[in-house]
Amino acid sequence: MVHVTRIVIIGGGPGGYEAALVAAQLGAEVTIVDRDGLGGAAVLSDCVPSKTLIATAEVMTGFDASYRELGITLACDDQGDEAGRRAISVDLGKVNRRVKRLAIAQSHDITQSVTRAGVTVLRGTGRLGGGGQAVDGSREVVVTAVDGSTQSLRADAVLVATGVHPREAPDARPDGERILNWKQVYDLEELPRELIVVGSGVTGAEFAGAYQALGSKVTLVSSRDRVLPGEDPDAAEVLEDVFRRRGMNVMSRLRAEAVKVVSARTDVAEGPSSPKAGKEGRVGDRVEVTLSDGRVISGTHCLIAIGAIPNTEGMGLEEAGVKLNDWGQIVVDRVSRTSAPGVYAAGDCTGVFMLASVAAMQGRIAMYHALGDAVQPLNLKTIASNIFTDPEIATVGYTAADVSCGKMDAVEIKLPLRGNPRAKMQGIRDGFVKLFCRPGTGIVVGGVVVAPRASELIHSISLAVDNNLTVEQVAGAFTVYPSLSGSTAEAARQLHIRKRAESES
Ligand SMILES: Cc1cc2nc3c(=O)[nH]c(=O)nc-3n(C[C@H](O)[C@H](O)[C@H](O)COP(=O)(O)OP(=O)(O)OC[C@H]3O[C@@H](n4cnc5c(N)ncnc54)[C@H](O)[C@@H]3O)c2cc1C
């Protein structure tokens, strides 16, 4: 009799559904359990919705930033811009309905392809059953359906890919109307007039930039010296400059201690930071944010983006021998194994690198390993990532921090886009290409691109890092004239010269 391996996957995001597809292709009997819908938070509330919203913001910024320079005039320009009125505006209700429609359609497509591959999809909440491994090495997964009924499944291998949820501070609880987390913004029918974004990590920066482009007056509260702590400092500096130039109020080295909704009384509509807001004359609900230096700022809405908590509580993990770290994340090795035999984990709940692409890779690797296929352990040093602000910030491989702390010996070059002919034609002023290579061999070990569509431009550097290409090889490949990618080849050429000079000195 042929032995068929039974796989149960808890969580249907990229970590779970990509694993399900691979396991089914490899001949396993696969069940996937999800409580919200396949695609997970990535498709239904986080990655896909935010990038769809940003697609509208991108058109607005691109147009606003350069239409005059490119020689475009609008009827309202001829009549003279009315104070503060923009040439174009957005219907947020319509944008959000499009966001939700696309997310649901994508979740539906994923469910169809997973089902077509022969995977059983169960709607419900899954947890590991007590009692650890059975004599035959199998594990129990208990599934509770929406109606409260439960069923028990047996699996030769279990994959936990349950993702994360937004972190909340006790004095800043989202109400879904005025105080929002990043999942709740898509219910807004009207653009927040004055939006305070708390948190300047990737999520905070992306939303702050997007709402500013859509027309909100944005205040960004950052607990650090600059936005995007942990990212390339030159890239973060460019972005913060752009944010400020476009009128964003970036408040650094401050934490939000409390956020509350107030029924404001003011004579005049005051902007954020107004000491008067909330004093005279009723104008409707507002939010007040108390900062760590005692100041109170006010706006019409507040978006909280202060990190995420793994969905690992109450899942029977520790009882089953699965080790969690101090943040509640599941500890895994590079082939996605946990400390409990037969239990794998993938995606954000492991905290390895919170990206959809990494979650999917970890999930696939888990299945290759569980089902005895050839497996390449996860290599974090070749991961490409992108921050979808304007300009975008794309990164791959070793970073400036790795070089400065001595983790990687590398020579660096940064080439501003200002000198690129295509950038000049397109009215692009902000951004750069940065490359890192090994001093002796010239092998490219990392890079950063800050530019519109940096997410597309990073791929050539990604290929170089992944294949140990040298700066000479990157410089030798043709680029189109004129193109932004010409700056990558030029950076490689200059790095070749610098490397030579440094080896001769
Ligand atoms: C605002 C935002 C924007 C982002 N943008 C990007 C981006 O542009 N690119 C990128 O690569 N990444 C992006 N990310 C990160 C990306 O969304 C995550 O890395 C990705 O969702 C991780 O996938 P996952 O499979 O681990 O979990 P998820 O996508 O979170 O899916 C987990 C699923 O498990 C379900 N679940 C949880 N517990 C249980 C249980 N006990 N039983 C059954 N089901 C359960 C959940 O309901 C969910 O459906 C973004 C994140 C945020 C917050």
Side-chain angles (χ1 to χ4, degrees), residues 21 122 190 194 268 279 282 311 337 382 389 403 449 487:
L21 287 170
L122 296 180
E190 285 182 12
E194 300 158 7
V268 277
K279 297 253 162 47
R282 190 167 199 90
N311 295 327
R337 276 179 300 194
T382 57
T389 43
V403 176
V449 179
S487 285

Side-chain angles (χ1 to χ4, degrees), residues 9-17 33-48 50-51 122 124-127 161-164 182-183 186 202-203 206-207 308 311-315 346-350 353-360 362 386 388:
I9 298 170
I10 311 176
Y17 78 76
V33 185
D34 192 279
R35 62 181 182 205
D36 293 321
L38 292 198
V43 168
L44 290 166
S45 58
D46 296 358
C47 178
V48 170
S50 65
K51 262 75 269 182
L122 296 180
T125 302
R127 67 188 306 279
T162 46
V164 293
W182 64 75
K183 294 176 190 287
Y186 308 105
V202 175
T203 302
E206 285 188 352
F207 278 109
N311 295 327
T312 51
E313 217 180 288
M315 287 196 55
D348 284 6
C349 65
T350 67
F353 205 133
M354 295 207 195
L355 288 176
S357 52
V358 176
Q362 284 180 291
N386 190 61
F388 290 82

